[in-house]
């Protein structure tokens, strides 16, 4: 699978395969090898900035295939930046310059920044060990010299990587080209697209999606992100970076909704799951923009408090850190509201297995969606995370931020269905976080009395973790999905038997647009393959997660994210044997010679056809 934007040539990039299992093996491809360019098969444990920069600095390399390391590199690996989303958060030279560019707080010390480098060759990831072994066998059979220092004998094993991207230069250039194509061409060829998805939001008490919340009404906003990123396209598990936090927020929402008296609370609670935050806060910046433009039911002034879950799965001694913004707290009114938030959180943690601590008042916020809201308005808020300063996540924005990274483990011999139901220690720990959050939200929304009865369900947490990190095509996820969308979970293991009425999947019965109604497949009935479908009333809504820069056609914006993705057609790789240049020239020469001889023979045979085949001479002209 290729990286996000591999700059492969139109016809693909080809080179002689060279396997690099230790750093010394690079010397052959970089200087000694007599048959450049080389296509490197790199051991995943060597995939680092230093190695990539060596390969980038020479014309002897035509491509790179990386064999995923197993287990993950113990020293950590993060292709992201040391200062994630630098320049698009709250702190800048104009606002809090003492905190700008992560000054004094390097959040991602393992960040190598290679995801933001431009490489002149394609880079593919090999996750299948069998595929990797086939390439190695071809290399050993044909490309290993018979004697040390000697050149290998032809034919050689070569590889071609094809992943040509249509976009070029920058977002400004490719968007301008696409815009011109759309304007003047009947069949426009778009070369790139803005990164686009949807934020997901819902509320404790229903909100009319087509109306407006009253200006004097104050809500509690609980948020997290749902996206992650890695160096390689379509492989971004994000276990610690995203999954642990949004699973915890989902479980907290479930626990709060089930709390006695929740629907009678004085304040409403809005749950928001932001998309595209990895790419300079696409989702949060768009929601703030929509609130300011009154394209969302809420306005910024409706937010009475903001609670965000950051990375929460790798706690040391069960500690969560409560991060706040030191600049907005210089306002006495905001500071008192923030202190009330902290007090409620501390009170909610009483008797739980979660210990809350607050870093120094002079420490800035970590990378978080909350920063985009503070850019527009001083809002009291807290970001909860498992780290005080640097991330505990050594694999931030990498392919190794998997279930193993957050210590998910199962007993041997369990079936997939048993693993789905098995409550892991990780699920229990995250359920404690969900319980703390649900109790805090209940109190912030005006709830009085004891919150001891509010508890998140570890079973829900463990099912969500299993589904999002290990196997999405499980019986529980299947029961919650619409029949016409079951294919997105992958190949079904059990055939559903849905009644004839099931094609009616989504419809609205509420004229005020408070709810949507979804026809879902439902759970399996006993040991049969039949399901018990049903209608689910949902207050879940979507809002666009498209950067305002594209709405405003400000493609060179420094205020909003301007990430785009190139379009492509074919992505494939193949290995084959190549002959020596001399043999190729000899073959070409013989081919040309055979062609010339064929033409000569054809001419001679055609000229002597009557003699050779006894054909009658053409008749002369007839007279009358």
């Amino acid at each position: 699978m290729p990286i996000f934007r591999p700059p492969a040539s139109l016809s693909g990039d080809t080179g002689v395969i060279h396997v690099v299992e230790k750093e010394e093996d690079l010397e052959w491809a970089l200087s000694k090898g007599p048959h450049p360019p080389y296509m490197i098969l790199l051991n995943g444990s060597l995939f680092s900035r230093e190695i990539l920069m060596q390969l980038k600095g020479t014309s002897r390399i035509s491509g790179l295939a990386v064999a995923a390391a197993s287990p993950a590199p113990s020293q950590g690996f993060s292709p992201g930046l040391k200062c994630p989303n630098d320049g698009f958060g709250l702190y800048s030279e104009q606002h809090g310059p003492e905190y700008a560019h992560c000054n004094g707080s390097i959040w991602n010390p393992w960040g190598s920044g290679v995801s933001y480098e431009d490489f002149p060759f394609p880079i593919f990831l090999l996750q299948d060990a069998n595929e990797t072994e086939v390439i190695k066998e071809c290399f050993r059979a044909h490309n290993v010299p018979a004697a040390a220092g000697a050149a290998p004998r032809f034919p050689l094993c070569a590889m071609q990587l094809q992943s040509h991207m249509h976009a070029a230069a920058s977002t400004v250039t490719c968007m301008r080209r696409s815009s011109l194509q759309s304007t003047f061409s009947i069949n426009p060829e778009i070369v790139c697209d803005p990164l686009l998805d949807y934020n997901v939001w819902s509320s404790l008490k229903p909100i009319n999606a087509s109306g407006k919340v009253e200006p004097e009404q104050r809500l509690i906003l609980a948020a997290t992100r749902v996206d992650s990123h890695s160096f390689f396209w379509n492989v971004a598990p994000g276990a610690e970076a995203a999954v642990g936090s949004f699973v915890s927020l989902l479980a907290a929402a479930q626990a709060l909704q089930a709390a006695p008296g929740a629907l009678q609370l004085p304040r409403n609670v809005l749950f928001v799951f932001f998309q595209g935050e990895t790419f300079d806060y696409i989702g949060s910046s768009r929601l703030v923009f929509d609130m300011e433009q009154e394209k969302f039911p809420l306005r910024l002034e409706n937010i009475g408090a903001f609670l965000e879950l950051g990375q929460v799965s790798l706690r040391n001694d069960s500690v969560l850190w409560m991060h706040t913004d030191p600049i907005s707290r210089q306002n006495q009114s905001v500071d008192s509201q923030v202190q009330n938030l902290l007090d409620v959180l501390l009170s909610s943690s009483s008797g739980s297995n979660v210990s809350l601590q607050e870093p120094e008042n002079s420490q800035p916020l970590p990378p978080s969606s909350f920063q985009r809201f503070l850019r527009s308005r001083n809002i009291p808020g807290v970001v909860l995370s498992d780290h005080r300063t640097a991330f505990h996540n050594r694999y931030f924005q990498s392919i190794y931020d998997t279930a193993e990274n957050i210590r998910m483990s199962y007993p041997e011999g369990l079936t997939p269905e048993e693993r789905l139901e098995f409550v892991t220690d990780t699920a229990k720990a995250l359920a404690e976080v969900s319980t703390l959050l649900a109790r805090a939200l209940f109190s912030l929304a005006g709830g009085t009395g004891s919150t001891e009865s509010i508890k998140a369900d570890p079973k829900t947490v463990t099912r969500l973790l299993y589904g999002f990190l290990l196997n999405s095509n499980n019986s529980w996820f299947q029961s919650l999905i619409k029949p016409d969308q079951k294919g997105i979970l992958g190949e079904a293991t059990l055939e559903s038997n849905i009644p004839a009425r099931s094609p009616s999947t989504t419809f609205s019965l509420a004229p005020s647009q408070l709810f949507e109604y979804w026809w879902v497949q439902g759970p399996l009935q006993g040991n049969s393959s039949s399901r018990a479908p049903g209608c689910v009333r949902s207050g879940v809504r979507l809002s666009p997660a498209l950067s305002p820069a594209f709405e405003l056609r400000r493609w060179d914006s420094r205020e909003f994210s301007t990430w785009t993705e190139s379009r492509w057609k074919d992505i494939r790789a193949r290995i084959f044997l190549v002959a020596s240049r001399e043999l190729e020239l000899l073959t070409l020469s013989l081919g040309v010679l055979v062609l010339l001889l064929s033409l000569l023979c054809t001419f001679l045979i055609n000229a002597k056809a009557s003699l050779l085949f006894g054909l009658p001479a053409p008749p002369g002209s007839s007279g009358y």
Side-chain angles (χ1 to χ4, degrees), residues 312-329:
V312 294
S313 304
L314 295 176
R315 289 175 287 146
N316 286 336
D317 301 322
S318 298
V319 174
L320 278 184
W321 294 89
M322 303 180 292
H323 299 272
T324 59
D325 171 43
I327 298 178
S328 61
R329 293 188 69 178

Side-chain angles (χ1 to χ4, degrees), residues 74-331:
S74 58
Q75 71 275 16
F77 173 72
S78 172
L81 299 171
K82 293 183 183 296
C83 185
N85 293 1
D86 187 19
F88 291 88
L90 175 63
Y91 309 110
S92 65
E93 284 76 8
Q94 291 74 38
H95 184 89
E98 65 272 30
Y99 307 123
H101 312 300
C102 297
N103 184 25
S105 299
I106 301 301
W107 299 106
N108 183 28
W110 292 275
S112 63
V114 293
S115 285
Y116 301 85
E117 292 285 344
D118 183 19
F119 294 97
F121 45 77
I123 305 178
F124 279 46
L125 174 67
L126 298 176
Q127 292 181 288
D128 190 331
N130 293 328
E131 292 179 351
T132 303
E133 189 57 34
V134 168
I135 298 172
K136 288 183 177 180
E137 287 178 1
C138 187
F139 167 79
R140 288 191 287 263
H142 299 279
N143 295 7
V144 176
R153 300 178 61 181
F154 286 96
L156 300 176
C157 188
M159 178 187 292
Q160 183 183 62
L161 303 179
Q162 186 160 356
S163 57
H164 177 67
M165 298 284 138
H166 297 308
S170 65
T171 289
V172 175
T173 301
C174 76
M175 288 301 295
R176 184 178 65 247
R177 291 177 180 176
S178 296
S179 178
L180 289 172
Q181 284 274 340
S182 300
T183 304
F184 298 107
S185 175
I186 298 177
N187 297 308
E189 183 175 348
I190 307 302
V191 295
C192 68
D193 301 285
L195 293 190
L196 166 66
D197 213 295
Y198 292 92
N199 298 322
V200 181
W201 65 274
S202 187
S203 54
L204 180 62
K205 292 181 282 188
I207 294 176
N208 189 343
S210 61
K212 299 293 179 188
V213 172
E214 294 299 324
E216 66 276 6
Q217 188 175 350
R218 296 292 180 268
L219 295 87
I220 311 302
L221 197 156
T224 191
R225 65 173 59 188
V226 295
D227 66 292
S228 186
H229 178 226
S230 84
F231 187 84
F232 297 97
W233 177 74
N234 214 28
V235 188
E240 160 74 341
V243 177
S245 56
F246 76 68
V247 163
S248 298
L249 186 56
L250 285 170
Q254 181 192 46
L256 180 61
Q257 190 275 335
L263 296 181
Q264 286 74 47
L265 291 171
R267 285 186 173 186
N268 203 351
V269 179
L270 183 73
F271 298 93
V272 183
F273 299 83
F274 291 115
Q275 183 69 265
E277 296 301 274
T278 301
F279 298 97
D280 301 330
Y281 304 120
I282 292 175
S284 55
S285 63
R286 178 54 186 264
L287 187 61
V288 171
F289 178 80
D290 286 346
M291 287 182 174
E292 292 175 333
Q293 300 297 315
E294 298 192 1
K295 297 179 179 179
F296 192 77
L298 272 70
R299 304 171 183 84
L300 287 172
E301 54 264 31
N302 292 123
I303 303 174
F306 196 111
L307 274 181
E308 180 174 354
L309 281 186
Q311 300 180 68
V312 294
S313 304
L314 295 176
R315 289 175 287 146
N316 286 336
D317 301 322
S318 298
V319 174
L320 278 184
W321 294 89
M322 303 180 292
H323 299 272
T324 59
D325 171 43
I327 298 178
S328 61
R329 293 188 69 178
Q330 293 174 8
N331 180 295

